[in-house]
Amino acid sequence: MNPSVKSVQALENYKLRVEFENDEFKDFDVTPFLEKGIFSELKDESYFKQVRVAFGSVEWPNEQDFSKDTLYLLGVSVSPAPRSNKTLTTHLTNG
């Protein structure tokens, strides 16, 4: 079972920096999904920045989401991540 999402940052170029409960950080590229159905709305950068942690995964206000499994398995590991200077926004869990 993959760990739940602890925090998420929207980065430039439609990438997310995801911190998991096991303290791993992974970068997840949303670009391949931007032409698929409801995900096309994420092309609006101001909307993309509204990503937040919800129920151990990430979601946007209009209910686009990626599961913790997708984020963990397709994400690229990054070193213990100091917050990127290319960060657009950060949302942390309430807990």
Side-chain angles (χ1 to χ4, degrees):
M1 184 172 191
N2 294 313
S4 294
V5 174
K6 183 174 169 181
S7 69
V8 63
Q9 297 174 289
L11 305 176
E12 291 181 345
N13 300 317
Y14 303 104
K15 289 189 174 52
L16 299 175
R17 171 133 321 138
V18 183
E19 179 183 10
F20 293 91
E21 287 183 332
N22 64 357
D23 296 325
E24 281 186 73
F25 287 84
K26 293 195 177 199
D27 284 356
F28 180 78
D29 186 359
V30 178
T31 307
F33 301 90
L34 294 177
E35 300 300 327
K36 297 181 181 184
I38 64 170
F39 291 107
S40 64
E41 193 171 4
L42 300 179
K43 288 189 258 183
D44 176 341
E45 287 187 25
S46 63
Y47 183 71
F48 183 76
K49 293 188 289 186
Q50 294 179 47
V51 66
R52 63 181 176 249
V53 175
F55 308 105
S57 295
V58 301
E59 73 174 11
W60 285 264
N62 293 338
E63 300 184 7
Q64 297 92 341
D65 64 352
F66 289 102
S67 71
K68 66 181 183 178
D69 297 319
T70 299
L71 296 165
Y72 193 79
L73 295 172
L74 298 181
V76 176
S77 292
V78 292
S79 297
R83 300 296 183 199
S84 170
N85 61 357
K86 295 182 180 179
T87 300
L88 298 175
T89 188
T90 302
H91 294 276
L92 299 174
T93 57
N94 295 330

Coordinates of all heavy atoms in Angstrom, one line a residue:
M1 N 0.8 -1.2 0.0 CA 0.0 0.0 0.0 C 0.9 1.2 0.0 O 1.8 1.3 0.8 CB -0.9 0.0 1.2 CG -1.9 1.1 1.3 SD -3.0 0.7 2.7 CE -4.2 1.9 2.5
N2 N 0.6 2.2 -0.9 CA 1.4 3.4 -1.0 C 1.0 4.4 0.1 O -0.2 4.4 0.5 CB 1.2 4.0 -2.4 CG 1.8 3.0 -3.4 OD1 2.9 2.5 -3.3 ND2 1.1 2.8 -4.5
P3 N 2.0 5.2 0.5 CA 1.7 6.2 1.5 C 0.7 7.3 1.0 O 0.7 7.6 -0.2 CB 3.1 6.8 1.8 CG 3.9 6.5 0.6 CD 3.3 5.3 0.0
S4 N 0.0 7.9 1.9 CA -0.9 9.1 1.6 C -0.1 10.3 1.4 O 1.1 10.5 1.9 CB -1.9 9.3 2.8 OG -2.7 8.2 2.8
V5 N -0.7 11.3 0.8 CA -0.1 12.6 0.5 C -0.2 13.4 1.8 O -1.2 13.5 2.4 CB -0.8 13.3 -0.7 CG1 -0.3 14.7 -0.8 CG2 -0.6 12.5 -1.9
K6 N 1.0 14.0 2.1 CA 1.0 14.9 3.3 C 0.9 16.4 2.9 O 0.3 17.2 3.6 CB 2.4 14.6 4.0 CG 2.7 15.3 5.3 CD 4.0 14.8 5.8 CE 4.5 15.6 6.9 NZ 5.8 15.0 7.4
S7 N 1.6 16.8 1.8 CA 1.5 18.1 1.3 C 1.7 18.1 -0.2 O 2.3 17.2 -0.8 CB 2.5 19.0 2.0 OG 3.8 18.7 1.6
V8 N 1.3 19.2 -0.9 CA 1.5 19.3 -2.3 C 1.8 20.8 -2.7 O 1.3 21.7 -2.0 CB 0.3 18.8 -3.1 CG1 -1.0 19.7 -2.8 CG2 0.5 18.8 -4.6
Q9 N 2.7 21.0 -3.6 CA 3.0 22.3 -4.2 C 2.8 22.2 -5.7 O 3.2 21.3 -6.3 CB 4.5 22.6 -4.0 CG 5.0 22.7 -2.5 CD 6.5 22.9 -2.6 OE1 7.2 21.9 -2.9 NE2 7.0 24.0 -2.2
A10 N 2.2 23.3 -6.2 CA 2.2 23.5 -7.6 C 3.4 24.1 -8.1 O 3.8 25.2 -7.6 CB 0.9 24.3 -8.0
L11 N 4.2 23.5 -9.0 CA 5.4 24.0 -9.6 C 5.1 24.6 -11.0 O 4.0 24.4 -11.5 CB 6.5 23.0 -9.6 CG 6.8 22.3 -8.3 CD1 7.8 21.2 -8.5 CD2 7.3 23.2 -7.3
E12 N 6.1 25.2 -11.6 CA 6.0 25.6 -13.0 C 5.9 24.4 -13.9 O 6.3 23.3 -13.5 CB 7.2 26.5 -13.3 CG 7.3 27.8 -12.6 CD 8.5 28.6 -13.0 OE1 9.4 28.1 -13.6 OE2 8.5 29.8 -12.7
N13 N 5.4 24.6 -15.1 CA 5.4 23.6 -16.1 C 4.5 22.4 -15.8 O 4.8 21.3 -16.1 CB 6.8 23.1 -16.5 CG 7.6 24.3 -17.1 OD1 7.2 25.1 -17.8 ND2 8.9 24.3 -16.6
Y14 N 3.4 22.7 -15.0 CA 2.4 21.7 -14.7 C 3.0 20.5 -14.0 O 2.6 19.4 -14.2 CB 1.6 21.3 -15.9 CG 1.0 22.4 -16.6 CD1 1.5 23.0 -17.8 CD2 -0.1 23.0 -16.1 CE1 0.9 24.1 -18.4 CE2 -0.7 24.1 -16.7 CZ -0.2 24.6 -17.9 OH -0.8 25.7 -18.5
K15 N 3.8 20.8 -13.0 CA 4.4 19.8 -12.1 C 3.9 20.0 -10.7 O 3.7 21.1 -10.3 CB 5.9 19.7 -12.2 CG 6.4 19.2 -13.6 CD 7.9 19.0 -13.5 CE 8.4 18.4 -14.8 NZ 8.0 19.0 -16.0
L16 N 3.8 18.9 -10.0 CA 3.4 18.9 -8.6 C 4.6 18.4 -7.8 O 5.2 17.3 -8.2 CB 2.2 18.1 -8.3 CG 0.9 18.5 -9.0 CD1 -0.2 17.5 -8.7 CD2 0.5 19.9 -8.6
R17 N 4.9 19.0 -6.7 CA 5.9 18.4 -5.7 C 5.0 17.9 -4.6 O 4.3 18.6 -4.0 CB 6.9 19.4 -5.2 CG 7.7 18.9 -4.1 CD 9.2 19.1 -4.1 NE 9.8 19.0 -5.4 CZ 10.7 19.8 -5.9 NH1 11.2 20.8 -5.1 NH2 11.3 19.6 -7.0
V18 N 5.1 16.6 -4.4 CA 4.3 15.9 -3.5 C 5.1 15.3 -2.4 O 6.1 14.6 -2.6 CB 3.5 14.7 -4.2 CG1 2.5 14.0 -3.2 CG2 2.7 15.3 -5.4
E19 N 4.7 15.6 -1.1 CA 5.3 15.0 0.0 C 4.4 13.9 0.6 O 3.2 14.2 0.8 CB 5.6 16.1 1.1 CG 6.3 15.5 2.4 CD 6.5 16.5 3.5 OE1 5.9 17.6 3.4 OE2 7.1 16.1 4.5
F20 N 4.9 12.8 0.8 CA 4.1 11.6 1.3 C 4.4 11.4 2.8 O 5.3 11.9 3.4 CB 4.5 10.4 0.5 CG 4.1 10.4 -0.9 CD1 5.0 10.9 -1.9 CD2 2.8 10.0 -1.3 CE1 4.6 11.0 -3.2 CE2 2.5 10.1 -2.7 CZ 3.4 10.6 -3.6
E21 N 3.5 10.7 3.4 CA 3.5 10.5 4.9 C 4.8 9.8 5.3 O 5.2 9.9 6.5 CB 2.3 9.6 5.3 CG 1.1 10.4 5.3 CD -0.1 9.7 5.9 OE1 -0.1 8.4 5.8 OE2 -1.0 10.3 6.4
N22 N 5.5 9.1 4.4 CA 6.8 8.4 4.7 C 8.0 9.4 4.5 O 9.1 9.0 4.5 CB 7.0 7.2 3.9 CG 7.1 7.4 2.4 OD1 6.9 8.6 1.9 ND2 7.3 6.4 1.6
D23 N 7.7 10.7 4.3 CA 8.6 11.8 4.2 C 9.4 11.7 2.9 O 10.4 12.4 2.7 CB 9.6 11.8 5.4 CG 8.9 12.2 6.7 OD1 8.0 13.0 6.6 OD2 9.3 11.6 7.7
E24 N 8.9 10.9 1.9 CA 9.5 11.0 0.5 C 8.9 12.1 -0.2 O 7.7 12.5 0.0 CB 9.1 9.7 -0.2 CG 10.0 8.5 0.1 CD 9.7 7.3 -0.8 OE1 10.1 7.4 -2.0 OE2 9.0 6.4 -0.3
F25 N 9.7 12.7 -1.1 CA 9.2 13.8 -2.0 C 9.3 13.2 -3.4 O 10.3 12.6 -3.8 CB 10.1 15.0 -1.9 CG 9.8 15.8 -0.6 CD1 10.5 15.4 0.5 CD2 9.0 16.9 -0.6 CE1 10.3 16.2 1.7 CE2 8.8 17.6 0.5 CZ 9.5 17.3 1.7
K26 N 8.2 13.5 -4.2 CA 8.2 13.1 -5.6 C 7.6 14.2 -6.5 O 6.7 14.9 -6.0 CB 7.4 11.8 -5.9 CG 8.0 10.6 -5.2 CD 7.5 9.3 -5.7 CE 8.2 8.1 -5.1 NZ 8.0 6.9 -5.8
D27 N 8.2 14.4 -7.7 CA 7.6 15.4 -8.6 C 6.7 14.6 -9.6 O 7.2 13.6 -10.1 CB 8.7 16.1 -9.3 CG 9.4 17.2 -8.5 OD1 8.9 17.4 -7.3 OD2 10.3 17.8 -9.0
F28 N 5.5 15.1 -9.8 CA 4.6 14.4 -10.7 C 4.2 15.4 -11.8 O 3.8 16.5 -11.5 CB 3.3 14.1 -9.9 CG 2.2 13.4 -10.7 CD1 2.3 12.1 -11.0 CD2 1.1 14.1 -11.1 CE1 1.3 11.5 -11.8 CE2 0.1 13.6 -11.9 CZ 0.2 12.2 -12.2
D29 N 4.4 14.9 -13.0 CA 4.2 15.8 -14.2 C 2.7 15.6 -14.7 O 2.3 14.5 -15.1 CB 5.1 15.3 -15.3 CG 5.0 16.2 -16.5 OD1 4.2 17.2 -16.6 OD2 5.8 16.0 -17.5
V30 N 1.9 16.6 -14.6 CA 0.5 16.6 -15.0 C 0.3 16.7 -16.5 O -0.7 16.4 -17.1 CB -0.3 17.6 -14.2 CG1 -1.7 17.7 -14.6 CG2 -0.1 17.4 -12.7
T31 N 1.4 17.2 -17.2 CA 1.3 17.5 -18.6 C 0.6 16.4 -19.5 O -0.2 16.7 -20.3 CB 2.7 17.8 -19.2 OG1 3.3 18.8 -18.4 CG2 2.6 18.3 -20.7
P32 N 1.0 15.1 -19.3 CA 0.3 14.1 -20.1 C -1.2 14.0 -20.0 O -1.9 13.4 -20.8 CB 1.0 12.8 -19.7 CG 2.3 13.2 -19.0 CD 2.0 14.5 -18.4
F33 N -1.7 14.5 -18.9 CA -3.2 14.4 -18.7 C -4.0 15.7 -19.1 O -5.2 15.6 -19.1 CB -3.4 14.2 -17.2 CG -2.7 13.0 -16.6 CD1 -1.4 13.1 -16.2 CD2 -3.3 11.8 -16.6 CE1 -0.8 11.9 -15.7 CE2 -2.7 10.6 -16.2 CZ -1.4 10.7 -15.7
L34 N -3.3 16.7 -19.5 CA -3.9 18.0 -19.8 C -4.9 18.0 -21.0 O -5.8 18.8 -21.0 CB -2.9 19.1 -20.0 CG -2.1 19.5 -18.8 CD1 -1.0 20.5 -19.1 CD2 -2.9 19.9 -17.6
E35 N -4.8 17.0 -21.8 CA -5.7 16.9 -23.0 C -6.8 15.9 -22.8 O -7.6 15.6 -23.7 CB -4.9 16.6 -24.3 CG -3.9 17.6 -24.6 CD -4.4 19.0 -24.9 OE1 -5.5 19.1 -25.4 OE2 -3.7 20.0 -24.5
K36 N -6.9 15.4 -21.6 CA -7.8 14.3 -21.3 C -9.0 14.8 -20.5 O -8.9 15.1 -19.3 CB -7.2 13.2 -20.6 CG -6.1 12.5 -21.4 CD -5.4 11.4 -20.7 CE -4.3 10.9 -21.6 NZ -3.7 9.7 -21.1
G37 N -10.2 14.9 -21.1 CA -11.4 15.2 -20.4 C -11.4 16.4 -19.5 O -10.9 17.5 -19.8
I38 N -11.8 16.1 -18.2 CA -11.9 17.2 -17.2 C -10.5 17.8 -16.9 O -10.5 18.9 -16.3 CB -12.7 16.8 -16.0 CG1 -11.9 15.7 -15.2 CG2 -14.1 16.4 -16.3 CD1 -12.5 15.4 -13.9
F39 N -9.5 17.1 -17.1 CA -8.1 17.6 -16.8 C -7.7 18.8 -17.6 O -6.8 19.5 -17.3 CB -7.1 16.5 -16.9 CG -7.2 15.4 -15.8 CD1 -7.7 14.2 -16.1 CD2 -6.9 15.7 -14.5 CE1 -7.9 13.2 -15.2 CE2 -7.1 14.7 -13.5 CZ -7.6 13.5 -13.8
S40 N -8.4 19.0 -18.8 CA -8.0 20.1 -19.6 C -8.2 21.5 -18.9 O -7.5 22.4 -19.2 CB -8.8 20.1 -20.9 OG -10.2 20.3 -20.7
E41 N -9.0 21.5 -17.9 CA -9.2 22.7 -17.1 C -7.9 23.1 -16.4 O -7.7 24.3 -16.0 CB -10.4 22.5 -16.2 CG -10.9 23.8 -15.5 CD -12.2 23.5 -14.7 OE1 -12.6 22.4 -14.6 OE2 -12.7 24.5 -14.2
L42 N -7.1 22.1 -16.1 CA -5.8 22.4 -15.4 C -4.8 23.2 -16.2 O -3.9 23.7 -15.6 CB -5.2 21.1 -14.9 CG -6.0 20.2 -14.0 CD1 -5.3 18.9 -13.7 CD2 -6.5 20.9 -12.8
K43 N -5.1 23.4 -17.5 CA -4.2 24.2 -18.3 C -4.2 25.7 -17.9 O -3.3 26.4 -18.1 CB -4.6 24.1 -19.8 CG -4.2 22.8 -20.4 CD -4.4 22.8 -21.9 CE -5.7 22.1 -22.2 NZ -5.9 22.0 -23.7
D44 N -5.3 26.1 -17.2 CA -5.3 27.5 -16.7 C -4.4 27.5 -15.4 O -4.7 26.9 -14.4 CB -6.8 27.8 -16.3 CG -7.0 29.1 -15.6 OD1 -6.0 29.7 -15.1 OD2 -8.1 29.6 -15.6
E45 N -3.3 28.2 -15.5 CA -2.3 28.2 -14.4 C -2.9 28.6 -13.1 O -2.5 28.1 -12.0 CB -1.1 29.0 -14.8 CG -0.2 28.3 -15.8 CD 1.1 29.1 -16.1 OE1 1.5 29.8 -15.1 OE2 1.6 28.9 -17.1
S46 N -3.8 29.6 -13.1 CA -4.3 30.1 -11.8 C -5.2 29.0 -11.2 O -5.3 28.8 -10.0 CB -5.1 31.4 -12.0 OG -6.2 31.2 -12.8
Y47 N -5.9 28.2 -12.0 CA -6.7 27.1 -11.5 C -5.7 26.0 -11.1 O -6.0 25.4 -10.0 CB -7.6 26.6 -12.6 CG -8.5 25.5 -12.1 CD1 -9.5 25.7 -11.2 CD2 -8.4 24.2 -12.5 CE1 -10.4 24.7 -10.7 CE2 -9.2 23.2 -12.1 CZ -10.2 23.4 -11.1 OH -11.0 22.4 -10.7
F48 N -4.7 25.7 -11.8 CA -3.8 24.6 -11.5 C -3.2 24.9 -10.1 O -3.0 23.9 -9.3 CB -2.6 24.6 -12.5 CG -1.6 23.5 -12.3 CD1 -2.0 22.1 -12.6 CD2 -0.4 23.7 -11.8 CE1 -1.1 21.1 -12.3 CE2 0.5 22.7 -11.5 CZ 0.2 21.4 -11.8
K49 N -2.9 26.1 -9.7 CA -2.4 26.5 -8.4 C -3.3 26.2 -7.3 O -2.9 26.3 -6.1 CB -2.0 28.0 -8.4 CG -0.8 28.3 -9.3 CD -0.3 29.7 -9.2 CE -1.3 30.7 -9.7 NZ -0.8 32.1 -9.7
Q50 N -4.5 25.9 -7.5 CA -5.5 25.7 -6.5 C -5.5 24.2 -6.0 O -6.4 23.8 -5.2 CB -6.9 26.1 -7.0 CG -7.1 27.5 -7.2 CD -8.5 27.9 -7.7 OE1 -9.5 27.4 -7.2 NE2 -8.5 28.6 -8.8
V51 N -4.5 23.5 -6.4 CA -4.4 22.1 -5.9 C -4.3 22.0 -4.4 O -3.8 22.9 -3.8 CB -3.2 21.4 -6.6 CG1 -1.9 22.0 -6.1 CG2 -3.2 19.9 -6.3
R52 N -4.9 21.0 -3.8 CA -4.9 20.8 -2.4 C -4.9 19.3 -2.0 O -5.3 18.5 -2.9 CB -6.1 21.5 -1.7 CG -7.4 20.9 -2.2 CD -8.6 21.7 -1.5 NE -9.8 21.1 -2.1 CZ -10.6 21.8 -2.9 NH1 -10.4 23.0 -3.2 NH2 -11.8 21.2 -3.3
V53 N -4.5 19.0 -0.8 CA -4.5 17.7 -0.3 C -5.9 17.4 0.1 O -6.6 18.2 0.8 CB -3.6 17.5 0.9 CG1 -3.7 16.1 1.5 CG2 -2.1 17.7 0.4
A54 N -6.5 16.2 -0.3 CA -7.8 15.8 0.2 C -7.8 14.3 0.3 O -7.5 13.6 -0.7 CB -8.8 16.3 -0.8
F55 N -8.2 13.8 1.4 CA -8.3 12.3 1.6 C -7.1 11.5 1.2 O -7.2 10.4 0.6 CB -9.6 11.8 0.9 CG -10.8 12.6 1.2 CD1 -11.3 13.5 0.2 CD2 -11.4 12.4 2.4 CE1 -12.5 14.2 0.5 CE2 -12.6 13.2 2.7 CZ -13.1 14.1 1.8
G56 N -5.9 12.0 1.5 CA -4.7 11.3 1.2 C -4.2 11.4 -0.2 O -3.2 10.8 -0.6
S57 N -4.9 12.2 -1.1 CA -4.6 12.4 -2.5 C -4.5 13.9 -2.7 O -4.5 14.7 -1.8 CB -5.6 11.7 -3.4 OG -5.6 10.3 -3.2
V58 N -4.6 14.3 -4.0 CA -4.7 15.7 -4.3 C -5.9 15.9 -5.2 O -6.3 15.0 -6.0 CB -3.4 16.2 -5.1 CG1 -2.2 16.0 -4.2 CG2 -3.2 15.6 -6.4
E59 N -6.5 17.1 -5.1 CA -7.6 17.5 -5.9 C -7.7 19.0 -6.2 O -7.0 19.7 -5.5 CB -8.9 17.0 -5.3 CG -9.3 17.8 -4.1 CD -10.7 17.4 -3.5 OE1 -11.3 16.4 -3.9 OE2 -11.2 18.2 -2.6
W60 N -8.5 19.3 -7.1 CA -8.8 20.7 -7.4 C -10.3 21.0 -7.2 O -11.1 20.1 -7.0 CB -8.5 21.0 -8.9 CG -7.0 21.1 -9.2 CD1 -6.2 22.2 -9.3 CD2 -6.1 20.0 -9.4 NE1 -4.9 21.9 -9.5 CE2 -4.8 20.5 -9.6 CE3 -6.2 18.6 -9.5 CZ2 -3.7 19.7 -9.9 CZ3 -5.1 17.8 -9.7 CH2 -3.8 18.4 -9.9
P61 N -10.7 22.3 -7.1 CA -12.0 22.6 -6.8 C -13.1 21.9 -7.6 O -14.2 21.7 -7.1 CB -12.1 24.1 -6.9 CG -10.7 24.6 -6.7 CD -9.8 23.5 -7.3
N62 N -12.9 21.7 -8.9 CA -13.9 21.1 -9.7 C -13.8 19.6 -9.8 O -14.2 18.9 -10.7 CB -13.9 21.7 -11.1 CG -14.4 23.1 -11.1 OD1 -15.1 23.6 -10.2 ND2 -14.0 23.9 -12.1
E63 N -13.1 19.0 -8.7 CA -13.1 17.6 -8.5 C -12.1 16.8 -9.4 O -12.2 15.6 -9.4 CB -14.5 16.9 -8.4 CG -15.3 17.6 -7.3 CD -16.7 16.9 -7.2 OE1 -16.9 15.9 -7.8 OE2 -17.4 17.4 -6.3
Q64 N -11.2 17.4 -10.1 CA -10.2 16.7 -10.8 C -9.3 16.2 -9.6 O -9.1 16.9 -8.7 CB -9.3 17.6 -11.7 CG -10.1 18.2 -12.9 CD -10.7 19.5 -12.6 OE1 -10.8 19.9 -11.4 NE2 -11.0 20.2 -13.6
D65 N -8.8 15.0 -9.8 CA -7.9 14.4 -8.7 C -7.0 13.4 -9.3 O -7.2 12.9 -10.4 CB -8.8 13.9 -7.6 CG -9.6 12.7 -8.0 OD1 -9.7 12.4 -9.2 OD2 -10.2 12.0 -7.1
F66 N -6.0 13.1 -8.5 CA -5.0 12.1 -8.7 C -4.9 11.3 -7.4 O -4.7 11.9 -6.4 CB -3.6 12.6 -9.2 CG -3.6 13.2 -10.5 CD1 -3.6 14.5 -10.7 CD2 -3.6 12.3 -11.6 CE1 -3.6 15.1 -12.0 CE2 -3.6 12.9 -12.9 CZ -3.6 14.2 -13.1
S67 N -5.0 10.0 -7.5 CA -4.9 9.1 -6.3 C -3.5 9.1 -5.8 O -2.5 9.4 -6.5 CB -5.3 7.7 -6.7 OG -4.3 7.1 -7.5
K68 N -3.3 8.8 -4.6 CA -2.0 8.6 -4.0 C -1.2 7.6 -4.7 O 0.0 7.7 -4.8 CB -2.1 8.3 -2.5 CG -2.7 6.9 -2.2 CD -2.8 6.7 -0.7 CE -3.3 5.3 -0.4 NZ -3.4 5.0 1.0
D69 N -1.8 6.5 -5.2 CA -1.1 5.5 -5.9 C -0.5 6.0 -7.2 O 0.6 5.7 -7.6 CB -2.0 4.3 -6.2 CG -2.5 3.6 -4.9 OD1 -1.7 3.5 -4.0 OD2 -3.7 3.3 -4.8
T70 N -1.3 6.8 -8.0 CA -0.9 7.3 -9.2 C 0.3 8.3 -9.0 O 1.3 8.2 -9.6 CB -2.0 8.1 -10.0 OG1 -3.0 7.2 -10.3 CG2 -1.5 8.8 -11.2
L71 N 0.2 9.1 -8.0 CA 1.2 10.1 -7.7 C 2.5 9.4 -7.2 O 3.6 9.8 -7.6 CB 0.7 11.1 -6.5 CG -0.5 11.9 -6.9 CD1 -1.1 12.5 -5.7 CD2 0.0 13.0 -7.9
Y72 N 2.4 8.4 -6.4 CA 3.5 7.7 -5.9 C 4.2 6.8 -7.0 O 5.4 6.9 -7.1 CB 3.1 6.8 -4.7 CG 4.3 6.3 -3.9 CD1 4.9 7.2 -3.0 CD2 4.8 5.0 -4.1 CE1 6.0 6.7 -2.2 CE2 5.9 4.6 -3.3 CZ 6.5 5.5 -2.4 OH 7.6 5.0 -1.7
L73 N 3.4 6.1 -7.7 CA 4.0 5.2 -8.7 C 4.6 5.9 -10.0 O 5.6 5.5 -10.5 CB 3.0 4.2 -9.2 CG 2.6 3.2 -8.1 CD1 1.4 2.3 -8.5 CD2 3.7 2.4 -7.6
L74 N 4.0 7.0 -10.4 CA 4.4 7.8 -11.6 C 5.3 9.0 -11.2 O 5.9 9.6 -12.1 CB 3.2 8.2 -12.4 CG 2.3 7.1 -13.0 CD1 1.1 7.7 -13.8 CD2 3.1 6.1 -13.8
G75 N 5.3 9.3 -10.0 CA 6.2 10.5 -9.6 C 7.6 10.1 -9.6 O 8.0 8.9 -9.5
V76 N 8.5 11.1 -9.8 CA 9.9 11.0 -9.8 C 10.5 11.4 -8.5 O 10.2 12.6 -8.1 CB 10.5 11.8 -11.0 CG1 12.0 11.7 -11.0 CG2 9.9 11.4 -12.3
S77 N 11.2 10.5 -7.8 CA 11.8 10.9 -6.5 C 12.7 12.1 -6.6 O 13.5 12.2 -7.6 CB 12.6 9.7 -6.0 OG 11.7 8.6 -5.6
V78 N 12.6 12.9 -5.6 CA 13.6 14.1 -5.5 C 14.2 14.0 -4.1 O 13.6 13.4 -3.2 CB 12.9 15.4 -5.8 CG1 12.4 15.5 -7.2 CG2 11.7 15.6 -4.8
S79 N 15.4 14.6 -4.0 CA 16.1 14.6 -2.7 C 15.2 15.3 -1.7 O 14.3 16.0 -2.0 CB 17.4 15.4 -2.9 OG 18.2 14.7 -3.8
P80 N 15.5 15.0 -0.4 CA 14.7 15.7 0.6 C 14.6 17.2 0.1 O 15.6 17.9 0.0 CB 15.5 15.6 1.9 CG 16.3 14.3 1.6 CD 16.6 14.3 0.1
A81 N 13.4 17.5 -0.2 CA 13.2 18.7 -1.0 C 13.1 20.0 -0.2 O 12.1 20.2 0.4 CB 11.9 18.5 -1.8
P82 N 14.1 20.8 -0.3 CA 13.8 22.2 0.2 C 12.8 22.8 -0.7 O 12.7 22.4 -1.9 CB 15.2 22.9 0.0 CG 15.9 22.0 -1.0 CD 15.4 20.7 -0.9
R83 N 12.0 23.6 -0.3 CA 10.9 24.2 -1.1 C 11.5 24.9 -2.3 O 12.4 25.6 -2.2 CB 10.1 25.2 -0.3 CG 9.4 24.6 1.0 CD 8.4 23.5 0.5 NE 7.7 23.0 1.7 CZ 7.1 21.9 1.7 NH1 7.1 21.1 0.7 NH2 6.5 21.5 2.8
S84 N 11.0 24.5 -3.4 CA 11.5 25.0 -4.7 C 11.3 26.5 -4.8 O 10.2 27.1 -4.4 CB 10.8 24.3 -5.9 OG 11.1 25.0 -7.1
N85 N 12.2 27.2 -5.4 CA 12.0 28.7 -5.7 C 11.1 28.9 -6.9 O 10.8 30.0 -7.2 CB 13.4 29.4 -5.9 CG 14.2 28.8 -7.1 OD1 13.7 27.9 -7.7 ND2 15.3 29.4 -7.3
K86 N 10.7 27.8 -7.5 CA 9.8 27.9 -8.6 C 8.4 27.5 -8.2 O 7.5 27.3 -9.0 CB 10.2 26.9 -9.8 CG 11.5 27.3 -10.4 CD 11.8 26.4 -11.5 CE 13.2 26.8 -12.2 NZ 13.5 25.9 -13.2
T87 N 8.2 27.5 -6.9 CA 6.9 27.1 -6.3 C 5.8 28.2 -6.6 O 6.1 29.4 -6.4 CB 7.0 26.9 -4.8 OG1 7.9 25.9 -4.6 CG2 5.7 26.6 -4.2
L88 N 4.7 27.8 -7.0 CA 3.6 28.7 -7.3 C 2.7 28.8 -6.0 O 2.2 29.8 -5.7 CB 2.8 28.3 -8.5 CG 3.6 28.3 -9.8 CD1 2.7 27.7 -10.9 CD2 4.0 29.7 -10.2
T89 N 2.5 27.7 -5.4 CA 1.6 27.6 -4.2 C 1.9 26.4 -3.4 O 2.4 25.4 -3.9 CB 0.1 27.7 -4.6 OG1 -0.7 27.9 -3.4 CG2 -0.3 26.5 -5.4
T90 N 1.5 26.4 -2.1 CA 1.6 25.2 -1.3 C 0.3 25.1 -0.4 O -0.2 26.1 0.0 CB 2.8 25.4 -0.3 OG1 4.0 25.6 -1.0 CG2 2.9 24.2 0.6
H91 N -0.1 23.9 -0.3 CA -1.2 23.6 0.5 C -0.9 22.4 1.4 O -0.4 21.3 0.9 CB -2.5 23.2 -0.3 CG -3.0 24.3 -1.1 ND1 -3.8 25.3 -0.6 CD2 -2.8 24.7 -2.4 CE1 -4.1 26.2 -1.5 NE2 -3.5 25.8 -2.6
L92 N -1.0 22.5 2.7 CA -0.7 21.4 3.6 C -2.0 20.8 4.2 O -3.0 21.4 4.2 CB 0.1 22.0 4.8 CG 1.5 22.6 4.4 CD1 2.1 23.2 5.6 CD2 2.4 21.5 3.8
T93 N -1.9 19.6 4.6 CA -3.0 18.9 5.2 C -3.4 19.6 6.6 O -2.5 20.2 7.2 CB -2.7 17.4 5.5 OG1 -1.6 17.3 6.3 CG2 -2.5 16.7 4.1
N94 N -4.5 19.3 7.0 CA -5.0 19.8 8.4 C -4.8 18.8 9.4 O -5.7 18.3 10.0 CB -6.4 20.2 8.3 CG -6.7 21.4 7.4 OD1 -5.8 22.2 7.2 ND2 -7.9 21.4 6.8
G95 N -3.6 18.4 9.7 CA -3.5 17.3 10.7 C -2.2 17.0 11.0 O -1.2 16.9 11.2

